[in-house]
Amino acid sequence: MASHRHSDPPSDPALRVKALESLLTEKKLLEPAALDALIELFETKIGPRNGAKVVARAWTDPTYKKRLLSDATAAIAELGYSGMQGEDMVVVENTPAVHNLLVCTLCSCYPWPVLGLPPVWYKAAPYRSRAVIEPRAVLKEFGLELPESIEIRIWDSTAELRYMVLPERPAGTEDLKEDALAKLVTRDAMIGTAKVAGPSR
Amino acid sequence: MPVLTKDMVASLVATGGSARVNEAVTPKFKKGDTVKTRNPNPTGHTRLPRYVRGKVGVIQSDHGVFVFPDASAHGKGPAPQHLYTVRFTAREVFGPEAGAKDAIFADLWDAYLDPA
Amino acid sequence: MNGIHDLGGMHGHGPINSEANEPIFHAPWERRVFGLLFTMFSGGYCNVDEFRHAIERMAPAEYLSTSYYEHWLHAMETLLIEKGVIQQRELASKWAALGKGQM
């Protein structure tokens, strides 16, 4: 079924969203302050720092890691992260033999509570088309070259499960505490397009 | 219908809305079963990507019962059924040029799968 | 549907353009679009599957030439009209009124 449009929308999306917001507000279907609160939440509270704390906890607490890999939703909730676009979480573990990579080929599914909103490249056609068919070439563009001996596991989020990669703890971090470890963990390492680098010397 | 107010925001985001359905539905498959994806070409909504249609894979895990989007997108209710992660070898999906050890995992509902 | 959104395995979409220190939103209007999505769900105007399908129904050329939040905007306009929450002519008058204000 095609969309039926009776008049072309203006080219300026700012004008279009303003029109929609104004129309819904006039109809008393929208409270603009609720939008402000929502946006603020995602701009200040929800982002990859949350996921990094989960990773650092898993690196330092083997029993937590076990819980994280068997029931990720509950283990992530232990640290206070839950909800929208992370209602049913799965965490997949990188090892010296296995590298995991996340993608959503159909849209832009992404684990909001732990990683925040996805970057533009994750939602765009090049990554979504290529990650499944040529993961090594994709990873190379991110500066990560993996030998053929490593098994790449690509997780296409086709349903409402949301994935996060548990990256490998880098060498040379044996003395670091959880907080310092969390600072090393990047968004891309939890998507699988990067590894976590050790502390800079 | 309730208008979203400022006070509702924090709990709405922290709770979300799981697509899981608390209903007993008999699964068609179990972990380790070999399955073949169907090759439907519906004009409506589906979450079975073209690149994994008609492919053989193995059930990696059964996640329980979830809303079925192919029905839900068209006002046909949740049509709850089991959702599985299915593992396909990269070569099954993309041929001999794909990495020998690589695998693709997709989350697929009962209605997309046949025994193989 | 066999739509343009079903991108897995396609060739020809070019390199991945990752942006260093990417902001969460790239323009103020993107923030509003993001917020409006929740109104769609909490108002019961659509579910997530209907929302995704509304994006998938975009014309392929339009889908590829517009940004992510424009997809959302398209889906919200489409669904609010289809569900009878707003009328196409109301929206068109708003566009016209706001467009004049910007001149």
Side-chain angles (χ1 to χ4, degrees), chain C residues 6-22:
Chain C
D6 187 358
L7 287 161
M10 282 186 79
H11 288 133
H13 286 289
I16 292 147
N17 297 310
S18 56
E19 182 184 344
N21 302 313
E22 182 175 335

Side-chain angles (χ1 to χ4, degrees), chain A residues 94 99 101 139 142 144 165 167 186 188-196:
Chain A
N94 283 354
H99 184 88
L101 181 67
L139 292 175
F142 282 91
L144 182 58
V165 174
T186 62
D188 287 7
M190 294 180 279
I191 298 173
T193 52
K195 287 181 176 249
V196 177

Side-chain angles (χ1 to χ4, degrees), chain A residues 54 63-79 81 86-92 161-162 164, chain B residues 20 63:
Chain A
V54 172
T63 62
Y64 181 77
K65 177 177 157 183
K66 209 173 162 187
R67 292 201 296 282
L68 184 65
L69 295 174
S70 62
D71 183 352
T73 315
I76 289 167
E78 286 179 39
L79 300 199
Y81 313 126
E87 292 93 343
D88 294 280
M89 287 289 306
V90 176
V91 171
V92 289
L161 303 172
R162 294 291 169 268
M164 186 180 92
Chain B
R20 195 178 283 284
H63 297 284

Side-chain angles (χ1 to χ4, degrees), chain B residues 16-92:
Chain B
S18 176
R20 195 178 283 284
V21 180
N22 287 319
E23 203 170 301
V25 176
T26 308
K28 271 165 50 184
F29 304 101
K30 61 181 189 305
K31 184 177 175 173
D33 284 355
T34 301
V35 292
K36 186 176 183 185
T37 51
R38 293 181 177 175
N39 182 26
N41 285 270
T43 54
H45 183 63
T46 184
R47 295 293 287 182
L48 178 61
R50 265 172 287 181
Y51 79 92
V52 286
R53 292 182 193 166
K55 306 292 182 188
V56 173
V58 174
I59 302 279
Q60 172 87 8
S61 47
D62 177 351
H63 297 284
V65 179
F66 279 76
V67 171
F68 184 49
D70 303 40
S72 164
H74 298 287
K76 295 176 184 168
Q81 50 186 280
H82 278 257
L83 175 72
Y84 311 92
T85 298
V86 182
R87 178 185 188 274
F88 302 91
T89 67
R91 291 195 166 173
E92 165 70 10

